[in-house]
Amino acid sequence: DKELALHNEEDIDNKFIEKLPKALFLDQIELFEWEGFWSEPPTIKAAKMFKTTFQTDPNDVLLASSMKTGSTWLKAICACIMQDNKEDEDLLNKDNPHFHVPTIEAIDYYTKTLAHDLYTMPSSRLFHTHLPYRVLPDSIKNSDNCKIIYIARNPKDTLISMWHFYNNNHEDPKNFFPLEKFFDYFCNGVHFYGPFFEHVLEYWQESKKRPQKILFLKYEDLKMDPKKEVRKIALFLGKPLDNEENVEKILWRCSLDRLKNLEVNKSGSVISTIQNSTYFRKGVVGDWKNHMTPEMEEKLDKLTSLKFQGSGLEL
Ligand code: A3P
């Protein structure tokens, strides 16, 4: 009976999605616009189910981000901070950060393909989403206790990181999807979880209204002063790090060089379509300079200041 009910539900969702606005991403992936953001049907289905069925626990911690803004790093850091310090197990040596901190909408709710099931995870649950703030379940938004940590990144670096991510299977730059076309997708907001600017702005504005509930981080700050940012995160999570050694240990465990070279990340995949190695590339600030033309730079800068005008946000 349960199977039949899920099947019916999926059927209803499919019919609903068919009627949504549609657009092509990378010339071939069909994306649909639901609640003002673009995504594929499995994501929309998972998001709808999450929105209508999820009940928050006061100890829940939700990490949130647009794509390619440092989600993997944030997951690794928070997994280390939240783990029971007594055991001091090196979690990241055992599996990829995306295993330890599941992304909600990557869980296939109809078949439950991911090892973790959010609904039966023990408290305190640490999980992640790329979904925009507006579609989060009311139980999360209305709770004063369930905390959210958002990570944002400079749009030019985000775009270049995303472009590489989608080109990762091509060794030869000649086979790369043309940057000019990718640039237009990004600026038009037609990409997974796009538009980028609205995504960032919503979380930014909420973090201004409720700083106790939402901590807003920037990838660039984490790169510039990682110790300060890690302490800030730990304090926000109610797990202050007084010991300098512990801060350094967490940063070392979560460092890009280390994670990139761990066996668990060199092979395998947590999410079936994505190789673990794909999450780790250069991890620098300003890589856009190696790829963008001055025209692109100018256009994206203008768009960014237009979108963020009056918000107080600078990226
Ligand atoms: P680049 O493509 O600019 O190198 P996400 O985790 O949201 O998918 O973001 C991926 C970006 O974060 C990539 O940026 C990746 O290299 C970088 N990254 C991944 N792990 C990192 C870490 N431990 N420290 C710093 N940057 C990291």
Side-chain angles (χ1 to χ4, degrees):
D1 281 0
K2 203 174 165 210
E3 235 170 69
L4 189 69
L6 281 178
H7 184 76
N8 286 342
E9 203 161 334
E10 187 162 18
D11 213 36
I12 294 167
D13 283 347
N14 284 337
K15 292 202 174 99
F16 170 82
I17 292 168
E18 266 168 35
K19 296 193 189 107
L20 296 175
K22 221 190 302 187
L24 278 186
F25 175 53
L26 305 177
D27 287 348
Q28 53 170 332
I29 304 173
E30 244 181 22
L31 297 185
F32 294 82
E33 190 188 31
W34 177 60
E35 299 275 340
F37 78 101
W38 293 95
S39 213
E40 281 192 305
T43 306
I44 297 171
K45 291 175 193 174
K48 280 180 82 225
M49 195 177 279
F50 179 59
K51 191 177 193 319
T52 49
T53 61
F54 186 77
Q55 285 307 318
T56 193
D57 182 290
N59 298 319
D60 283 340
V61 176
L62 175 63
L63 309 182
S65 58
S66 190
M67 280 182 69
K68 313 321 291 173
T69 58
S71 331
T72 313
W73 197 12
L74 182 65
K75 284 184 179 194
I77 291 171
C78 292
C80 289
I81 293 174
M82 295 279 288
Q83 88 183 83
D84 191 347
N85 284 331
K86 274 173 264 154
E87 291 165 30
D88 195 32
E89 197 185 1
D90 189 359
L91 296 173
L92 301 171
N93 199 9
K94 296 210 167 120
D95 217 318
N96 180 273
H98 295 277
F99 171 84
H100 295 296
V101 187
T103 294
I104 294 155
E105 63 278 4
I107 298 175
D108 185 339
Y109 287 93
Y110 300 107
T111 56
K112 301 263 167 66
T113 48
L114 209 69
H116 288 294
D117 183 2
L118 193 62
Y119 289 70
T120 53
M121 252 163 99
S123 178
S124 314
R125 290 183 292 192
L126 173 63
F127 49 101
H128 166 264
T129 189
H130 283 308
L131 296 171
Y133 184 80
R134 77 194 88 122
V135 300
L136 294 184
D138 286 340
S139 91
I140 292 186
K141 291 195 238 181
N142 297 338
S143 153
D144 283 330
N145 300 315
C146 157
K147 292 187 188 282
I148 299 177
I149 305 182
Y150 186 82
I151 185 154
R153 189 181 189 186
N154 171 273
K156 286 178 284 190
D157 278 337
T158 303
L159 187 157
I160 292 300
S161 181
M162 204 186 283
W163 179 61
H164 277 99
F165 181 72
Y166 288 114
N167 282 309
N168 207 53
N169 296 329
H170 306 299
E171 297 282 315
D172 187 346
K174 278 208 298 293
N175 297 329
F176 269 39
F177 189 84
L179 180 59
E180 303 70 44
K181 284 176 86 174
F182 193 85
F183 184 86
D184 288 339
Y185 281 121
F186 188 88
C187 292
N188 295 331
V190 181
H191 54 89
F192 285 83
Y193 308 98
F196 170 83
F197 298 97
E198 282 70 10
H199 199 289
V200 180
L201 264 180
E202 270 180 16
Y203 281 98
W204 168 253
Q205 276 150 358
E206 282 304 316
S207 77
K208 291 274 118 192
K209 278 189 239 161
R210 301 163 79 189
Q212 259 67 4
K213 181 176 173 66
I214 307 186
L215 178 67
F216 190 97
L217 301 172
K218 295 181 188 173
Y219 183 85
E220 291 73 20
D221 293 341
L222 252 171
K223 289 289 296 185
M224 201 162 61
D225 196 344
K227 285 188 190 172
K228 180 175 161 206
E229 294 303 295
V230 164
R231 278 209 191 86
K232 195 199 283 179
I233 297 169
L235 195 64
F236 181 76
L237 293 176
K239 309 234 173 201
L241 291 164
D242 316 314
N243 186 330
E244 179 82 6
E245 252 174 55
N246 287 340
V247 176
E248 275 167 12
K249 184 165 65 190
I250 290 174
L251 282 171
W252 173 75
R253 282 183 173 171
C254 300
S255 71
L256 179 62
D257 277 347
R258 175 180 183 256
L259 293 181
K260 198 188 245 181
N261 292 306
L262 290 177
E263 280 312 312
V264 285
N265 296 324
K266 282 202 242 173
S267 62
S269 59
V270 175
I271 296 163
S272 59
T273 49
I274 307 167
Q275 291 293 309
N276 286 347
S277 58
T278 322
Y279 296 109
F280 310 98
R281 199 179 64 93
K282 272 185 158 177
V284 297
V285 173
D287 191 39
W288 62 267
K289 290 179 192 142
N290 298 317
H291 301 281
M292 282 192 189
T293 62
E295 292 75 28
M296 288 175 179
E297 176 190 358
E298 196 191 327
K299 190 175 167 193
L300 196 45
D301 281 349
K302 269 197 186 143
L303 185 62
T304 305
S305 49
L306 185 76
K307 294 279 188 182
F308 292 167
Q309 207 172 34
S311 70
L313 175 62
E314 277 178 39
L315 278 181

